[in-house]
Amino acid sequence: MLKGRHLIDPQDFTVEELEEIFQLAEEIIGSPEEFTHLCDGKVLGSLFFEPSTRTRLSFEAAMNRLGGRVIGFSEPGSSSVTKGENLPDTIRTVASYADIIAMRHPKEGAPRYGSQFCDIPLINAGDGGHQHPTQTLTDLLTIKIAKGNFSNLTIGLCGDLKFGRTVHSLIKAMSRYDNIRFILISPNELQTPQYIKTEILDKKLLDYVEVERLEEVIDRLDILYMTRVQKERFFNEADYIRLKDSYILDNAKLKLAKSDLIILHPLPRVNEISMEVDSDPRAWYFRQAKYGMFVRMALIAKLLGVK
């Protein structure tokens, strides 16, 4: 049972528990009108200590479409944080008003810390460069719908693999399935952190390689997961400017790819995917964003235990 649980890390749930969520999400996609009153009378506390468009709005849309309501703030300047209130007090207060909380925070580990003071389900909506579990659920649901399963896939992760929390979460999640191969495509300065390679890829004896050029490997990929170079994670703007255009996916590069490739991106995109790619049937990133709302609907319903 998922009722009453927190979701801080994608690995908090078993593969079987994730499958429960995906199954419900697909039922909602098939007949959304049947779920419009599932969360009548329930309240989501939306606590966003860091800017967000897709994640915040998809959580709010998810709760609204389930018949529930939303309270909260979209940036800390409109909360008592500006008065010096600590995180545990904010969590305890909102938990007394809401039935479930979605929280984004710039500090790594803040949602796990906050969950210790929360007697209702708390969902990590992103913490610094660390984890983004509901984006991972979104990615997995998209892969399931597009490919039909999670096994025997070659996944290319391209761009900012150092600071990209969505990449770290996806590697962790996909490492639990059979015969998965990773191709890690990035400049040297933005390579996958050593702890991800040591604790997950090496420890589980997964097949992976690190390369710098997308063109060299795109023909081998079943999934291409593009990421932007994140300006907000850099201390030195000169480094950001030097690296921000390292990888731009366009139609010329796609001529080298498989016909059944799927292109994913957690969004927002800057210029790492040319807009000409949007009309390619292999571009799944806007469908992926929509599936994010449906998977969050399923997650909220499961954690609240509504039927």
Side-chain angles (χ1 to χ4, degrees):
M1 282 290 290
L2 291 168
K3 182 179 180 180
R5 301 261 296 275
H6 302 306
L7 174 59
I8 307 300
D9 181 297
Q11 309 234 62
D12 288 344
F13 296 165
T14 66
V15 168
E16 292 74 24
E17 287 168 338
L18 291 177
E19 187 55 40
E20 275 186 54
I21 294 168
F22 300 143
Q23 185 175 339
L24 178 56
E26 290 189 88
E27 289 175 19
I28 295 171
I29 291 169
S31 303
E33 67 283 353
E34 293 182 14
F35 298 88
T36 54
H37 295 288
L38 199 60
C39 287
D40 282 357
K42 301 293 185 181
V43 176
L44 168 71
S46 176
L47 309 185
F48 277 71
F49 295 86
E50 188 179 54
S52 169
T53 301
R54 271 147 296 276
T55 304
R56 180 174 64 84
L57 292 181
S58 67
F59 265 113
E60 294 182 6
M63 193 54 159
N64 285 326
R65 285 178 180 271
L66 291 168
R69 297 185 181 185
V70 181
I71 61 172
F73 52 83
S74 58
E75 47 89 22
S78 58
S79 75
S80 289
V81 172
T82 58
K83 301 175 183 177
E85 182 174 59
N86 62 45
L87 183 61
D89 286 1
T90 300
I91 295 287
R92 286 190 180 108
T93 301
V94 176
S96 68
Y97 305 146
D99 301 288
I100 187 169
I101 288 174
M103 171 182 156
R104 169 168 287 189
H105 202 284
K107 290 186 179 177
E108 296 180 3
R112 188 171 297 283
Y113 175 61
S115 71
Q116 298 173 31
F117 307 94
C118 192
D119 58 4
I120 63 174
L122 187 148
I123 302 168
N124 177 6
D127 59 331
H130 194 220
Q131 298 286 350
H132 195 350
T134 59
Q135 180 63 51
T136 304
L137 297 189
T138 300
D139 300 340
L140 291 177
L141 177 63
T142 308
I143 292 168
K144 185 173 188 285
I145 290 171
K147 293 295 184 182
N149 64 79
F150 297 116
S151 301
N152 306 309
L153 296 170
T154 298
I155 304 169
L157 303 163
C158 181
D160 180 359
L161 309 189
K162 180 178 181 179
F163 298 109
R165 59 190 168 199
T166 60
V167 168
H168 306 162
S169 291
L170 186 60
I171 290 173
K172 279 188 174 184
M174 290 300 296
S175 71
R176 298 198 281 183
Y177 298 99
D178 294 331
N179 196 26
I180 297 297
R181 297 167 297 281
F182 291 103
I183 299 181
L184 309 174
I185 309 152
S186 70
N188 286 328
E189 295 94 333
L190 296 176
Q191 283 187 347
T192 307
Q194 188 59 47
Y195 81 91
I196 295 286
K197 290 184 276 190
T198 302
E199 295 176 17
I200 300 169
L201 297 170
D202 294 335
K203 190 174 183 179
K204 295 191 175 185
L205 303 177
L206 292 170
D207 182 3
Y208 75 94
V209 294
E210 294 181 282
V211 301
E212 287 193 51
R213 286 175 51 80
L214 174 59
E215 296 90 328
E216 291 176 7
V217 295
I218 194 170
D219 63 322
R220 295 157 56 185
L221 304 179
D222 300 304
I223 299 166
L224 173 58
Y225 195 95
M226 297 293 296
T227 66
R228 70 188 171 94
V229 176
Q230 302 176 82
K231 184 177 183 178
E232 63 270 27
R233 306 292 176 208
F234 279 83
F235 294 108
N236 185 329
E237 188 170 0
D239 287 342
Y240 166 73
I241 291 170
R242 180 169 53 84
L243 295 170
K244 69 183 178 71
D245 294 331
S246 296
Y247 301 97
I248 298 176
L249 181 66
D250 54 23
N251 285 343
K253 291 186 180 73
L254 278 175
K255 287 179 181 177
L256 305 170
K258 294 180 180 180
S259 60
D260 63 347
L261 172 74
I262 67 167
I263 305 160
L264 303 181
H265 192 305
L267 302 178
R269 136 178 89 177
V270 182
N271 65 343
E272 59 279 355
I273 299 179
S274 171
M275 291 184 71
E276 68 184 17
V277 173
D278 296 352
S279 58
D280 192 300
R282 293 170 289 186
W284 276 70
Y285 33 90
F286 290 114
R287 278 176 281 185
Q288 177 187 1
K290 189 167 186 177
Y291 293 149
M293 178 185 69
F294 291 119
V295 85
R296 289 178 176 99
M297 290 172 73
L299 175 65
I300 288 168
K302 288 289 185 180
L303 298 187
L304 288 175
V306 294
K307 298 185 189 288

